[in-house]
């Protein structure tokens, strides 16, 4: 279902939230901008949005991450928190499936840029202990990674 959206600048839109009549202002993401420019396909954009949603559900973003040891419970009692933990655990498995499909060259850039919402420059700066990658190379790996996710993971 398409939501009402109004672009107020090159990188800012006001859009309706899932709650009817409530609007929010948000910055247009990198991959969404690339889709508007024809750099990535709609299917690749959908793959990026799906990965980001699952990544968020898995609570893997560094600031909000929950360690796996806190997810495991011994008592086995059913509750809403158990359902949430199961959903988080399933989402983490799904993210790991995606990273397996992407491999070591594309997985880190998809994790950082799509999952953690870092910029390409921030991703490149974090690659201290590995072979240095340029922003241009990271961009190519991200686009290739989105293509793979759209074809093999969705």
């Amino acid at each position: 279902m398409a939501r009402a959206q109004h672009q107020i600048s090159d990188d800012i839109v006001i859009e309706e939230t899932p709650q009817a009549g409530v609007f929010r202002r948000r910055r247009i993401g990198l991959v969404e901008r690339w889709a508007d420019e024809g750099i990535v396909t709609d299917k690749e954009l959908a793959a990026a949005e799906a990965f980001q949603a699952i990544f968020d559900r898995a609570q893997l973003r560094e600031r909000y991450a929950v360690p796996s040891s806190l997810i495991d419970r011994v008592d086995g009692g059913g509750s809403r928190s158990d359902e949430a933990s199961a959903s988080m655990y399933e989402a983490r498995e799904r993210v790991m499936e995606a990273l397996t499909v992407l491999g070591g060259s594309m997985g880190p850039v998809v994790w950082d840029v799509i999952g953690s919402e870092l910029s390409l420059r921030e991703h490149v700066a974090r690659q201290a202990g590995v072979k240095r990658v340029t922003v241009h190379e990271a961009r190519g790996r991200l686009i290739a990674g989105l293509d793979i996710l759209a074809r093999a993971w969705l």
Side-chain angles (χ1 to χ4, degrees), residues 16-33:
E16 188 174 8
T17 64
Q19 183 179 353
V22 177
F23 292 82
R24 70 178 177 149
R25 180 179 163 164
R26 74 169 175 88
R27 183 174 300 278
I28 295 173
L30 173 68
V31 179
E32 188 177 355
R33 194 172 62 237

Side-chain angles (χ1 to χ4, degrees), residues 18-112:
Q19 183 179 353
V22 177
F23 292 82
R24 70 178 177 149
R25 180 179 163 164
R26 74 169 175 88
R27 183 174 300 278
I28 295 173
L30 173 68
V31 179
E32 188 177 355
R33 194 172 62 237
W34 284 352
D36 290 343
E37 295 170 2
I39 296 170
V40 297
T41 65
D42 289 339
K43 194 167 182 185
E44 292 164 348
L45 174 62
E49 290 170 346
F51 183 86
Q52 185 175 37
I54 292 170
F55 194 91
D56 287 344
R57 196 174 77 213
Q59 297 182 13
L60 292 169
R61 202 174 304 235
E62 291 171 1
R63 185 177 301 162
Y64 308 107
V66 175
S68 295
S69 61
L70 294 179
I71 298 172
D72 299 331
R73 290 187 45 168
V74 178
D75 64 358
S79 71
R80 291 186 83 189
S81 65
D82 287 344
E83 292 171 15
S85 294
S87 174
M88 183 181 4
Y89 191 75
E90 290 169 6
R92 286 181 177 201
E93 288 179 346
R94 192 84 169 105
V95 168
M96 292 306 129
E97 289 172 10
L99 294 177
T100 300
V101 168
L102 293 171
S105 66
M106 292 171 278
V109 70
V110 171
W111 177 286
D112 284 348

